[in-house]
Amino acid sequence: MPPEPAPSTPIRTTGQQLRRRSWAEPWKIKMVEPIKVTTAAQRATALRDAGYNTFLLRSEDVYIDLLTDSGTSAMSDWQWAGLMLGDEAYAGSKNFYHLEDTVRRHYGYKHLIPTHQGRGAEHILSQIMIQPGDTVPGNMYFTTTRYHQEHAGAQFVDVVVDEGHDPANPAPFKGNVDLAKLERVLTTAKHVPYVCVAATVNMAGGQPISMANMRAVRELCARQHVPIMLDATRAVENAWFIKTREPGYAERSCGEILREFCSYSDGCTMSGKKDPLVNIGGWLSLNDDQLADKARNMVVVYEGLHTYGGMAGRDMEAMARGIEESVQDDHMRARIGQVEYLGELLQVAGVPVVLPIGGHAVYLDARRFYPHLTQDEFPAQTLAAELYLDAGVRAMERGIVSAGRDHKTGKHHYPKLELVRLTIPRRVYTQAHMDVVAESVTAVFQNPDKPRGLKMVYEPENLRFFQARFEPL
């Protein structure tokens, strides 16, 4: 792939219309997986059987699966070759040491505690650092992260900048921490065990945090002697946005930016199913020796021995190799470029999306799709159902259902954002698939027959968006 112009570089045609240079992914297809094209009647039946929850659809009934980018990426031939080198020893697998060395080189942390996936790392971190009554500030909540914090007895406080809650605001770093909000929490809360910083901010539309802001958060927390724990799940994508949006970083590589960014934190949780390009696995990284010792004791109880943490040796080898590939600029240029391509098609069609386009997904503003629906009628859940009915595209609700209930009062959380996430797996779909998605979303948006919304008929106790069931009003 020619290095210039990048997918994000507009050029002017003879008609003075702006368009983007054609580009191709920096890989070629070696193996294919057939997908089924369904009829409208088949989709209606499948959706009804799934309780109008896209999480409960069978994957075989999905045409283009944009539910999540978690564990759905395509591994490279180099990663698949690494699977054959899996050392499945119960203790001291050589693949663990390869992974540990790779994380140290690219992320910079001293200690590595492997886990079966990201929420395993969140659980261990919450258990070793949080005491009942603590307050944990963060730049917008994430579902499993907040659950583990609250389950350990803490209260989560949102300190993201106000722009992060405004889907139409085009600010380049809507994931930034509001320093005034953070300082207020740090100086008034009884005890803050750590500040939780996400890069990028999933629930805000995949929005990044700037290097300058991260550095300022570090300086503020250092004065208050409070550590920073990074949700590094998509930190490489965040590094790409720093490279392309923040002055002074254009000539630096993604890998260099990532290492500097992580240096302003004291540890991280990681779902290896995102940036590191594998189907399962994660880790907790820490710089503090005593905390790391506590984490190793916990991982033995809940995940597995401290040198495998719920992963097979082959999985750790694939992840180590995936990290090496993930920090390459050509990979990230194509990864973000595909997301931007879909986002731009929808913007041209007048579809309301979260701006600017985020790193791993295009987020649809369900409030503007269905302004006649109240949040109690679940507009984002309704929109996700309508998208599947139209063309078999599976997306994810990110609104009131995902926000859940206040664990003290039992009442709904009412987030300002009511979104549907079109999440693009890495190295899986082609530009033609994005064209099909854009046409389907546009058709749903322009359909004059608007749905009446949904009612929840089954609600599980925890993380309800995974298993809740609905019926049309």
Side-chain angles (χ1 to χ4, degrees):
M1 182 179 70
E4 295 295 341
S8 58
T9 304
I11 64 170
R12 198 171 296 278
T13 64
T14 54
Q16 294 301 299
Q17 293 179 331
L18 287 176
R19 69 171 179 85
R20 299 195 181 282
R21 276 289 292 269
S22 296
W23 62 280
E25 295 83 356
W27 39 263
K28 59 184 180 180
I29 296 170
K30 185 175 289 189
M31 182 181 72
V32 297
E33 175 187 348
I35 53 180
K36 181 170 70 175
V37 180
T38 55
T39 66
Q42 288 171 328
R43 293 192 294 273
T45 299
L47 188 64
R48 184 175 61 251
D49 291 345
Y52 295 83
N53 185 344
T54 53
F55 274 98
L56 300 180
L57 289 166
R58 297 189 178 201
S59 65
E60 63 185 0
D61 294 326
V62 175
Y63 178 40
I64 300 176
D65 201 344
L66 306 185
L67 182 75
T68 182
D69 63 332
S70 180
T72 57
S73 299
M75 293 201 301
S76 69
D77 54 355
W78 191 50
Q79 287 179 285
W80 279 103
L83 294 180
M84 298 297 102
L85 301 177
D87 174 7
E88 306 307 338
Y90 186 87
S93 166
K94 66 181 180 182
N95 309 119
F96 165 77
Y97 295 106
H98 182 199
L99 177 61
E100 181 182 53
D101 176 68
T102 304
V103 171
R104 282 175 177 167
R105 284 188 292 108
H106 290 291
Y107 289 83
Y109 301 110
K110 183 177 180 181
H111 298 284
L112 174 77
I113 297 92
T115 58
H116 77 283
Q117 61 183 69
R119 69 195 60 171
E122 292 172 345
H123 172 238
I124 291 172
L125 179 66
S126 298
Q127 291 297 313
I128 64 175
M129 293 197 72
I130 292 174
Q131 297 295 323
D134 283 353
T135 299
V136 179
N139 54 340
M140 201 173 289
Y141 83 97
F142 183 67
T143 52
T144 59
T145 311
R146 186 177 67 185
Y147 173 81
H148 285 298
Q149 292 165 353
E150 292 178 346
H151 184 67
Q155 176 188 10
F156 172 80
V157 178
D158 186 4
V159 293
V160 78
V161 292
D162 291 342
E163 295 93 324
H165 294 284
D166 181 359
N169 192 308
F173 292 102
K174 290 164 64 174
N176 278 354
V177 172
D178 186 311
L179 298 175
K181 292 180 184 177
L182 176 58
E183 186 167 24
R184 204 156 42 239
V185 176
L186 294 178
T187 55
T188 60
K190 180 180 178 181
H191 181 245
V192 176
Y194 62 91
V195 173
C196 183
V197 175
T200 55
V201 179
N202 191 337
M203 306 302 284
Q207 301 300 317
I209 174 174
S210 71
M211 189 75 80
N213 185 252
M214 187 65 178
R215 193 181 300 117
V217 172
R218 178 54 147 184
E219 293 170 356
L220 174 57
C221 289
R223 292 197 299 270
Q224 299 292 334
H225 306 288
V226 175
I228 299 170
M229 294 298 162
L230 179 67
D231 178 349
T233 295
R234 299 181 181 89
V236 185
E237 293 180 3
N238 199 102
W240 179 260
F241 285 125
I242 291 172
K243 177 180 176 66
T244 56
R245 296 180 184 178
E246 190 164 357
Y249 287 92
E251 301 305 317
R252 295 182 61 181
S253 70
C254 252
E256 292 169 337
I257 295 169
L258 174 69
R259 184 67 182 259
E260 180 187 346
F261 189 86
C262 292
S263 73
Y264 300 125
S265 66
D266 299 282
C268 80
T269 57
M270 167 62 80
S271 170
K273 299 163 68 176
K274 282 83 168 180
D275 275 351
L277 297 165
V278 291
N279 306 125
I280 197 67
W283 75 75
L284 170 63
S285 280
L286 296 163
N287 289 332
D288 184 274
D289 294 342
Q290 291 184 335
L291 274 179
D293 191 52
K294 288 183 179 180
R296 289 191 188 96
N297 277 284
M298 288 283 291
V299 81
V300 171
V301 175
Y302 289 102
E303 299 283 321
L305 199 67
H306 63 282
T307 54
Y308 75 88
M311 284 188 285
R314 63 180 73 94
D315 296 325
M316 291 188 284
E317 183 64 29
M319 188 184 296
R321 296 181 178 214
I323 291 169
E324 299 282 2
E325 295 179 347
S326 73
V327 299
Q328 300 303 312
D329 285 2
D330 279 350
H331 162 71
M332 198 52 64
R333 180 181 295 112
R335 180 347 181 228
I336 301 298
Q338 187 177 51
V339 179
E340 290 178 341
Y341 175 80
L342 174 59
E344 288 167 6
L345 289 177
L346 295 175
Q347 288 179 77
V348 169
V351 173
V353 299
V354 173
L355 298 175
I357 302 301
H360 64 289
V362 178
Y363 288 70
L364 309 177
D365 188 349
R367 288 183 188 270
R368 287 190 280 169
F369 264 75
Y370 302 135
H372 63 291
L373 297 182
T374 67
Q375 277 192 288
D376 289 310
E377 294 166 327
F378 307 114
Q381 191 74 41
T382 301
L383 176 54
E386 292 296 313
L387 291 175
Y388 175 74
L389 286 173
D390 181 77
V393 175
R394 176 158 67 167
M396 179 192 291
E397 185 270 359
R398 278 299 183 229
I400 186 174
V401 181
S402 293
R405 294 182 183 273
D406 186 290
H407 70 288
K408 293 181 179 179
T409 67
K411 296 181 179 180
H412 289 304
H413 287 294
Y414 287 92
K416 294 182 180 179
L417 298 174
E418 192 70 27
L419 308 176
V420 167
R421 191 179 79 177
L422 302 170
T423 332
I424 302 178
R426 298 159 186 81
R427 306 191 297 202
V428 171
Y429 291 117
T430 66
Q431 191 163 301
H433 290 104
M434 298 301 102
D435 292 338
V436 171
V437 172
E439 291 168 5
S440 176
V441 173
T442 302
V444 170
F445 177 61
Q446 294 176 348
N447 186 353
D449 297 325
K450 302 299 182 185
R452 296 182 178 180
L454 298 168
K455 62 179 179 180
M456 190 182 298
V457 296
Y458 169 69
E459 180 178 359
E461 182 178 356
N462 299 315
L463 299 173
R464 63 186 185 182
F465 62 95
F466 285 126
Q467 300 178 74
R469 301 183 74 87
F470 305 83
E471 289 180 357
L473 289 170

